[in-house]
Amino acid sequence: MSQFIDIAALDDIPRQGARLVKTQSGCIAVFRTADDQVFAIDDRCPHKGGPLSEGIVHGTAVTCPLHAAVFDLNTGQSTDDWHVKTYAVRVDGGRVMLDAAFLARRSAA
Amino acid sequence: MKQKLVVIGAGMASGRMLEHLFDNGGDFDVTLFNAEPRGNYNRLMLSPVLSGEKTYDQIVTHDADWYASHGVDCRFGEPVVRIDRTKRIVYSNAGGVPYDALVIATGSAPFIVPVPGKDLPGVCAYRDLEDTNKMIAASGPGAKAVVIGGGLLGLEAAAGMTARGAEVTVIHLMGHLMERQLDPAAGYLLQRDLESRGIRIHCKGATKAILGKDRVEAVLLDDGTVYPADLVCMAVGIRPEVRLANDAHLDVGRGITVDDQLRTSDLAIFALGECIEHDKQLFGLVAPLYDQARVLAETLLGREAAFKPVQTATKLKVTGVDLFSAGDFADGPGREDIVFRDPGRGVYKRLILEGERLLGAVMYGDTADGSWFFDLIKQGRDVTDLRETLIFGPAFQGGASANPLAAVAALPPEAEICGCNGVCKGKIVTAIEGGATTLDAVRSLTKASASCGTCTGLVEQVMALTLGDGFTANANPPMCKCTDHTHEDVRRLIKSMGLKSIPAVMQDLGWKTVGGCASCRPALNYYLISDWPTDYVDDRQSRFVNERNHANIQKDGTYSVVPRMWGGVTNPAELRAIADAADKYNVPMIKVTGGQRIDLLGVRKEDLPAIWLDFNAAGMVSGHAYAKGLRTVKTCVGTEFCRFGTQDSTGLGIKLEKLLWGSWTPAKVKLGVSGCPRNCAEATCKDIGVVCVDSGYEISVAGAAGMDVRETEFLYKATSEAEVMEVIAAFTQLYRENARYLHRIYKWVAKVGLEWCRAQMDDPANRRALYDRFMLSQSIYQTDPWAELAVTPADWAPIADLTLRAAE
Ligand SMILES: Cc1cc2nc3c(=O)[nH]c(=O)nc-3n(C[C@H](O)[C@H](O)[C@H](O)COP(=O)(O)OP(=O)(O)OC[C@H]3O[C@@H](n4cnc5c(N)ncnc54)[C@H](O)[C@@H]3O)c2cc1C
Ligand code: SF4
Ligand code: SF4
Ligand code: FES
């Protein structure tokens, strides 16, 4: 079941940039594209742990700042076949809402 | 007995129809009604009348003699008000005229936007001579006019009134001009051309009201913009003029419904022109109307004929604007584009293919081949074998060959290869035969492909043809997968086209991706900063992480912080501040760098603003240890302390660092200043080195001590510190303006040649100009980024912390 919680104002995230949400099991990077779409994926690059939130955002993709793997923000899939987890996120009246259902799963586990 | 033919409307379509009828021996008693108080004239040519290039008399197509010789009873200025189908009589206010056959050719009526003020005096449409004369009267020098609608008619109206001296604004609802005929790229070029003629264009503008008391005074838009106006011309579209047909209960859809013989639902009544609807299609251009005219004449003569709509092509009749569009050019699945751009000449050509057929063509700037493409579209011919060279038009289609090289081979020597510089094939061949075997050599000898670079491929083909096996293609690859242009081409184009933003570059240079990639965006950001220091605003989001965060990211995600130490000189207060900061932020490692300063490694991102504030408070600024910009100026102690010193190398180094810091460059820049040829500052393996001697200062450049190691080479001998500063700033600017992104100075110098750099420095006027441009840029960019960014510490921390949040 999805459970959207308000995490920030859309304008707190720069266009073509990202901000972090801290969770018990690592950081989630919340991205905003040039045309105001938002995406949320795990911040940690599976290659060598590069912080994806610090990558350059182009279209709906981000390039890892350490070794330039390119991740599709929609799917979390990279061109080098790594994968990061994606989270449901949406914008509601200028607020960014993140689906926190994963918290329940994690604490239940 | 002669048949009685009555025609309603003396317009483009009916005029042509009557010609056919009489030319083919038709024997009719014709009565011709027209609402306008005149006979047939060429409506298309109203625009040249408006602009003053033609007079009304010159555009009349049928004069009184013509009507008289064919026995036409002219009822001009006499609108038909009613058709009595049962009695077969048409009525004007002057009475009735009986018919055996009736032709309705009432054209269309301009659409008037239903906004307040639409009926004020001074508001007109653009359809007939009356409208044209109103605009002519209102558009003397100093007058202000607003045209609503940026389609074909609106733009011709705007250009015409501008030609007469009026100040014209065009308000267009859509995102680009003539969106029905042009794609966005061509619409953009058109807008630029019109703006350069002084026409103001407001796209995405919705008209809210026309303001004025007794006559128009201004136009108000939804967004609140107000444009003063003495005249408002509405050119937002047309509607088939179907009122008579409706009243007579003929079948009417959007237009009067007709069959292939142009017959309406009444056997005795025909219709043609813009007032009809054929096969669900309406018509707004004359070409299909002329076909209708022919078919209707045949039908009336009792011969077999059927109307089949053909593709139409559009040209805008504005003197000096070359624009052509034909067929279908919307994006669609399975459709492919072939695009050719020559920004130097303002040329844009786009062909739209589906499978093996050409569907549409949009051309701007050079429309000479328009009719050839239009033919291919109409024929629906298989163009697979022409494909490679199709965009170059018929001149390239030498015989059956589809090999682009053969097409180039087939070109005559006088064929132009480089449009920007007007270089023909023969000249290039001569240069190659004279020994120019590389693209650069051909470029510098002939100037071919030296401006916008779009013809580079062609030049290479000429080279391949002339040199045969001796030719190896230029190894200069495109900038990245987003574009076919090389870095060099992009830099040239940014300047020559005056492109001042990343979206403008991507649009005008035809980027193939939406927002670029991590490779081109930082490069473009740098080029724009360097070329337009006062216009362009740095785009942080197009920078790599280190430059965006003004600190070097380490492999564990922490950062290193390096404050500037001018010339490698420090003092107890600075050292104390560094020690305090290291304690306060639990810095795991403090290291002395090779550039004579101190690095604090392992700082957490959220602590960066606080540590910067602390350093700022101690008088220290960012050392730009992360930047493609000035890094360090390494110095020795020079005359101040060393017994061998010939000049104050420490002092000069500090001055140089204070001059250059904060500047962005294609790649990092490191300097060294040594007080004597013993060279303790290792100046001769730096990007720029100064070695002091008794007689002055020897400046050398292009050293390296990284993956490549090389010694600097002599650039300039200066006799004063001031001269050193000017030369080094000027040289840095030369590098900033010309090198490709990520090329260190030694790589760039290897490309352009040290000789050329020296010549630039040896010319005092040129050197001064470079220096001035450098200082202009410094006036904007020489600021401490730490001070700017430290004021918003919240931006550096996570936006939300869910670690304590339990599931509900
Ligand atoms: C300024 C301008 C520039 C243009 N440029 C181009 C161009 O470059 N290329 C192109 O292909 N097309 C162009 N067009 C469009 C082209 O002119 C029209 O497609 C064409 O004129 C339509 O011909 P028509 O005979 O159907 O109608 P019209 O030429 O409009 O003729 C209709 C006539 O019927 C008369 N009428 C209407 N109702 C009645 C009535 N009840 N009783 C009697 N008479 C009546 C009208 O007064 C009018 O004279 C342009 C149009 C304009 C206005
Ligand atoms: S370079 Fe010359 S002046 Fe400088 S420290 Fe060495 S010996 Fe002394
Ligand atoms: S030399 Fe290599 S390992 Fe050492 S700091 Fe430079 S890049 Fe890193
Ligand atoms: S850490 Fe992301 S590509 Fe290496």
Side-chain angles (χ1 to χ4, degrees):
Chain A
M1 202 187 74
S2 50
Q3 177 195 344
F4 282 92
I5 54 173
D6 183 340
I7 51 164
L10 180 63
D11 285 334
D12 289 339
I13 309 173
R15 285 215 174 98
Q16 298 191 306
R19 295 292 298 275
L20 286 182
V21 173
K22 261 186 160 170
T23 78
Q24 238 151 11
S25 46
C27 286
I28 295 173
V30 184
F31 290 86
R32 176 180 180 190
T33 64
D35 56 356
D36 283 350
Q37 302 181 63
V38 294
F39 297 95
I41 64 175
D42 270 340
D43 188 41
R44 220 184 116 80
C45 175
H47 176 221
K48 291 195 172 171
L52 296 177
S53 56
E54 299 290 4
I56 288 180
V57 181
H58 41 98
T60 52
V62 63
T63 299
C64 176
L66 294 199
H67 315 96
V70 178
F71 290 85
D72 181 341
L73 295 173
N74 284 295
T75 59
Q77 197 67 34
S78 91
T79 41
D80 311 70
D81 230 23
W82 287 303
H83 185 84
V84 290
K85 195 181 289 174
T86 60
Y87 302 87
V89 64
R90 62 167 198 235
V91 179
D92 216 342
R95 305 293 304 178
V96 179
M97 313 291 290
L98 179 69
D99 183 359
F102 67 93
L103 287 177
R105 259 182 276 125
R106 278 176 184 176
S107 53
Chain B
M1 202 183 86
K2 264 194 187 180
Q3 277 220 59
K4 285 198 273 302
L5 175 67
V6 172
V7 179
I8 311 176
M12 303 288 295
S14 65
R16 185 56 74 91
M17 192 275 295
L18 288 174
E19 274 175 36
H20 276 296
L21 204 59
F22 295 134
D23 286 355
N24 287 285
D27 196 16
F28 294 88
D29 258 340
V30 178
T31 307
L32 178 58
F33 284 95
N34 200 19
E36 285 183 68
R38 60 186 69 82
N40 303 75
Y41 60 92
N42 188 343
R43 196 174 301 285
L44 280 58
M45 288 296 132
L46 285 175
S47 291
V49 171
L50 175 57
S51 65
E53 289 160 82
K54 280 200 158 59
T55 62
Y56 171 69
D57 290 337
Q58 290 174 301
I59 69 166
V60 170
T61 51
H62 302 84
D63 55 16
D65 287 349
W66 188 86
Y67 296 121
S69 68
H70 295 290
V72 177
D73 176 10
C74 298
R75 307 291 194 88
F76 299 154
E78 218 182 298
V80 169
V81 291
R82 190 163 67 84
I83 304 168
D84 186 333
R85 284 170 54 191
T86 30
K87 294 205 186 105
R88 296 203 173 170
I89 299 177
V90 297
Y91 293 93
S92 74
N93 286 332
V97 176
Y99 65 83
D100 298 313
L102 174 65
V103 172
I104 306 178
T106 45
S108 48
F111 181 72
I112 300 294
V113 197
V115 289
K118 69 179 167 48
D119 298 322
L120 283 170
V123 180
C124 71
Y126 190 17
R127 183 72 200 172
D128 55 25
L129 186 64
E130 277 69 34
D131 295 328
T132 310
N133 284 336
K134 269 189 215 162
M135 284 190 268
I136 292 174
S139 50
K144 289 188 171 51
V146 168
V147 175
I148 302 176
L152 192 99
L153 281 190
L155 295 180
E156 292 191 4
M161 289 192 279
T162 306
R164 290 196 178 259
E167 219 177 272
V168 182
T169 303
V170 175
I171 295 163
H172 189 52
L173 192 60
M174 309 307 270
H176 70 269
L177 296 174
M178 291 182 67
E179 78 285 347
R180 294 214 327 230
Q181 291 88 9
L182 298 182
D183 60 5
Y188 170 85
L189 285 174
L190 173 61
Q191 174 165 353
R192 224 179 39 187
D193 259 7
L194 294 174
E195 282 170 346
S196 74
R197 290 152 186 256
I199 300 175
R200 189 196 283 128
I201 310 276
H202 186 130
C203 283
K204 293 191 189 157
T207 306
K208 191 169 182 181
I210 296 172
L211 311 176
K213 256 182 82 181
D214 304 319
R215 56 172 292 117
V216 293
E217 289 165 19
V219 174
L220 169 70
L221 305 194
D222 267 355
D223 65 10
T225 315
V226 174
Y227 291 115
D230 307 310
L231 177 124
V232 175
C233 173
M234 286 213 196
V236 292
I238 50 172
R239 271 187 179 164
E241 177 56 86
V242 295
R243 283 176 298 183
L244 280 177
N246 264 332
D247 293 348
H249 301 290
L250 293 172
D251 278 358
V252 175
R254 286 179 300 157
I256 305 169
T257 324
V258 297
D259 62 13
D260 288 356
Q261 280 68 45
L262 287 318
R263 200 184 301 265
T264 67
S265 52
D266 180 326
L267 288 181
I269 303 181
F270 302 84
L272 85 167
E274 282 183 343
C275 58
I276 68 162
E277 177 179 327
H278 173 267
D279 207 5
K280 304 233 164 10
Q281 198 188 338
L282 300 180
F283 304 88
L285 293 170
V286 289
L289 308 194
Y290 288 164
D291 286 340
Q292 293 168 9
R294 191 183 42 75
V295 171
L296 181 51
E298 298 281 307
T299 306
L300 290 172
L301 290 166
R303 303 185 197 158
E304 290 264 315
F307 172 65
K308 271 214 345 250
V310 290
Q311 302 265 16
T312 51
T314 312
K315 272 194 148 199
L316 184 69
K317 299 186 302 300
V318 173
T319 311
V321 171
D322 256 346
L323 170 164
F324 176 90
S325 95
D328 183 354
F329 47 86
D331 283 326
R335 291 192 178 172
E336 279 174 273
D337 288 327
I338 301 178
V339 174
F340 170 85
R341 303 179 198 242
D342 183 343
R345 289 189 298 148
V347 170
Y348 170 81
K349 301 184 188 180
R350 175 167 162 235
L351 301 179
I352 299 87
L353 292 134
E354 194 169 57
E356 61 282 353
R357 284 188 322 115
L358 184 62
L359 276 195
V362 182
M363 319 178 80
Y364 194 91
D366 171 4
T367 53
D369 298 337
S371 51
W372 187 73
F373 289 124
F374 189 36
D375 266 354
L376 288 181
I377 296 172
K378 283 193 295 194
Q379 294 163 9
R381 167 173 161 201
D382 183 338
V383 294
T384 319
D385 54 331
L386 306 176
R387 216 188 137 105
E388 288 291 322
T389 56
L390 190 60
I391 192 99
F392 299 116
F396 270 67
Q397 313 305 327
S401 169
N403 175 354
L405 219 53
V408 176
L411 285 178
E414 62 277 7
E416 192 175 79
I417 299 284
C418 169
C420 294
N421 298 302
V423 188
C424 63
K425 179 181 162 192
K427 194 164 168 197
I428 297 172
V429 171
T430 313
I432 301 168
E433 286 167 353
T437 52
T438 65
L439 183 61
D440 283 345
V442 171
R443 214 175 244 166
S444 62
L445 263 171
T446 66
K447 290 273 171 298
S449 95
S451 296
C452 80
T454 329
C455 60
T456 306
L458 280 178
V459 175
E460 285 182 335
Q461 284 171 358
V462 175
M463 295 180 68
L465 280 168
T466 318
L467 292 169
D469 291 342
F471 175 72
T472 38
N474 190 323
N476 200 355
M479 193 161 161
C480 64
K481 62 180 184 342
C482 305
T483 175
D484 293 331
H485 289 294
T486 62
H487 278 271
E488 288 70 19
D489 289 343
V490 171
R491 282 217 86 164
R492 253 197 307 273
L493 291 168
I494 285 175
K495 284 178 243 193
S496 69
M497 296 175 71
L499 305 176
K500 298 190 177 173
S501 69
I502 290 179
V505 173
M506 290 184 175
Q507 167 65 31
D508 282 1
L509 303 189
W511 243 241
K512 293 182 279 188
T513 53
V514 182
C517 71
S519 152
C520 58
R521 284 252 304 282
L524 293 181
N525 189 50
Y526 168 71
Y527 293 153
L528 292 164
I529 283 180
S530 145
D531 290 337
W532 314 110
T534 55
D535 298 294
Y536 179 70
V537 184
D538 179 27
D539 177 24
R540 264 189 90 203
Q541 300 308 132
S542 292
R543 288 186 175 275
F544 288 123
V545 53
N546 291 352
E547 289 188 351
R548 187 173 345 110
N549 290 341
H550 291 276
N552 279 316
I553 195 164
Q554 307 298 310
K555 64 175 200 175
D556 63 353
T558 63
Y559 289 83
S560 78
V561 174
V562 185
R564 215 167 260 295
M565 262 174 200
W566 308 99
V569 176
T570 184
N571 59 42
E574 285 183 357
L575 291 172
R576 250 180 229 113
I578 290 172
D580 288 344
D583 277 343
K584 185 166 161 191
Y585 303 101
N586 294 315
V587 171
M589 170 135 101
I590 306 174
K591 184 167 184 325
V592 174
T593 72
Q596 299 185 335
R597 43 200 196 166
I598 292 175
D599 192 351
L600 294 88
L601 292 128
V603 179
R604 297 187 314 151
K605 184 182 176 190
E606 45 268 56
D607 287 336
L608 288 174
I611 198 168
W612 294 340
L613 263 186
D614 289 357
F615 284 149
N616 279 167
M620 286 183 281
V621 297
S622 166
H624 292 91
Y626 46 80
K628 307 196 191 334
L630 178 83
R631 295 281 178 92
T632 58
V633 181
K634 192 169 176 175
T635 65
C636 76
V637 291
T639 43
E640 287 295 285
F641 290 93
C642 176
R643 62 201 166 110
F644 298 114
T646 62
Q647 311 282 354
D648 176 14
S649 49
T650 323
L652 176 59
I654 293 172
K655 281 183 203 150
L656 281 169
E657 191 164 349
K658 295 215 159 161
L659 173 71
L660 302 176
W661 77 281
S663 60
W664 298 103
T665 44
K668 61 187 167 187
V669 172
K670 296 179 177 180
L671 274 70
V673 184
S674 288
C676 82
R678 286 170 191 78
N679 194 13
C680 294
E682 295 157 357
T684 53
C685 63
K686 297 284 183 268
D687 297 288
I688 303 174
V690 181
V691 173
C692 304
V693 290
D694 284 322
S695 56
Y697 308 83
E698 282 171 357
I699 304 172
S700 60
V701 296
M707 294 225 257
D708 288 310
V709 179
R710 62 185 69 199
E711 194 180 335
T712 52
E713 290 182 76
F714 175 77
L715 178 75
Y716 192 91
K717 170 85 184 278
T719 53
S720 68
E721 285 192 346
E723 200 179 359
V724 174
M725 313 252 289
E726 181 176 302
V727 169
I728 288 181
F731 180 77
T732 306
Q733 183 66 12
L734 193 65
Y735 169 54
R736 280 165 44 91
E737 288 176 5
N738 292 286
R740 77 181 256 190
Y741 190 61
L742 299 185
H743 268 190
R744 291 286 290 267
I745 285 182
Y746 76 93
K747 280 210 174 147
W748 164 67
V749 168
K751 271 189 66 194
V752 299
L754 194 59
E755 278 311 313
W756 179 76
C757 298
R758 273 191 210 127
Q760 305 288 308
M761 293 302 112
D762 289 343
D763 169 359
N766 187 43
R767 190 170 78 213
R768 190 71 207 177
L770 282 163
Y771 174 84
D772 289 342
R773 291 204 290 279
F774 182 77
M775 294 313 286
L776 172 70
S777 170
Q778 287 297 75
S779 70
I780 292 147
Y781 283 99
Q782 194 171 60
T783 55
D784 178 25
W786 288 358
E788 275 166 39
L789 295 170
V791 295
T792 50
D795 291 351
W796 299 79
I799 29 170
D801 187 345
L802 304 182
T803 45
L804 297 177
R805 194 178 167 115
E808 279 138 41

